[in-house]
Amino acid sequence: MGAPEKGLFSVIEKLKGAAEQEVRIVLLGLDNAGKTTLLKKLASEDISTITPTQGFNIKCVASNGMKLNVWDIGGQRKIRSFWKKYLDNTDLLIYVIDSADKKRFEETGQELSELVLEENLQGVPILIFANKQDLATASAASDIAEGLSLHTYRDRQWQIQACSALSGEGVQWQSKLG
């Protein structure tokens, strides 16, 4: 659905309809999907020492006149029941999937399908990062989209984006094309 070289701002503009001054983003996904690495990469921080998120991280990232308030919430099974407490006033849900962890696709799909039913996320656009595309065993973003039946999400804008949080490919602030 999306070109692999789109930048985050162009994706936000597409999903939200226009660039806003300030955007509240909730960053979710299963443990070890790469959420914190992605957030640190966006904030131009060192990614060499990342530990599993036990609660949440909050970062404000500003660029090109836009301020992103990003809530990165841990993805361990025991924490997931608390995700819904952080969904108020969400402008964009970013859901991160480990594209190389095929044995967890069903689990991540179930979590995502439950999230889209949450009242606080009604109509909220979703950006799905198909992370870890740098690994040889990674599934293509289009295959993940089909497997998750994303085409059935008709009540909101959504886009799936192939990326590598380690290299930054696919998560740039701006499109390399424009």
Side-chain angles (χ1 to χ4, degrees):
M1 203 175 185
E5 297 302 323
K6 287 280 189 200
L8 185 57
F9 280 119
S10 62
V11 171
I12 290 171
E13 288 175 4
K14 177 184 175 201
L15 293 176
K16 297 283 297 163
E20 295 183 11
Q21 293 288 324
E22 191 166 331
V23 179
R24 176 177 153 78
I25 298 172
V26 177
L27 183 63
L28 298 174
L30 302 186
D31 51 301
N32 201 37
K35 299 176 298 298
T36 303
T37 304
L38 181 85
L39 179 57
K40 286 184 172 270
K41 196 66 157 180
L42 287 173
S44 300
E45 294 180 5
D46 179 28
I47 60 168
S48 64
T49 56
I50 294 178
T51 58
T53 303
Q54 296 301 315
F56 59 89
N57 299 305
I58 304 170
K59 295 242 181 267
C60 293
V61 183
S63 183
N64 298 345
M66 190 182 290
K67 179 179 175 185
L68 305 180
N69 296 310
V70 185
W71 291 68
D72 163 26
I73 304 167
Q76 296 88 347
R77 187 178 304 275
K78 64 182 183 207
I79 296 175
R80 293 181 212 156
S81 62
F82 296 103
W83 284 356
K84 59 186 164 195
K85 296 183 183 297
Y86 297 92
L87 301 179
D88 286 345
N89 303 312
T90 298
D91 294 311
L92 175 68
L93 171 64
I94 296 179
Y95 194 82
V96 183
I97 295 174
D98 180 342
S99 301
D101 193 356
K102 294 174 178 68
K103 65 183 181 282
R104 295 186 80 191
F105 282 178
E106 184 177 334
E107 181 182 4
T108 199
Q110 181 63 39
E111 293 293 345
L112 180 59
S113 65
E114 289 177 19
L115 277 170
V116 298
L117 297 175
E118 286 293 328
E119 186 176 326
N120 288 339
L121 287 180
Q122 284 188 347
V124 172
I126 303 171
L127 170 59
I128 296 126
F129 273 121
N131 192 22
K132 303 188 183 182
Q133 290 293 312
D134 52 311
L135 300 177
T137 57
S139 294
S142 58
D143 293 340
I144 293 171
E146 186 176 319
L148 295 176
S149 300
L150 296 180
H151 64 280
T152 64
Y153 295 168
R154 300 189 189 285
D155 64 333
R156 70 191 73 228
Q157 291 285 327
W158 63 268
Q159 179 167 328
I160 189 163
Q161 177 88 18
C163 75
S164 167
L166 281 179
S167 70
E169 189 172 342
V171 295
Q172 305 87 348
W173 279 118
Q174 297 177 321
S175 173
K176 289 182 179 176
L177 304 175

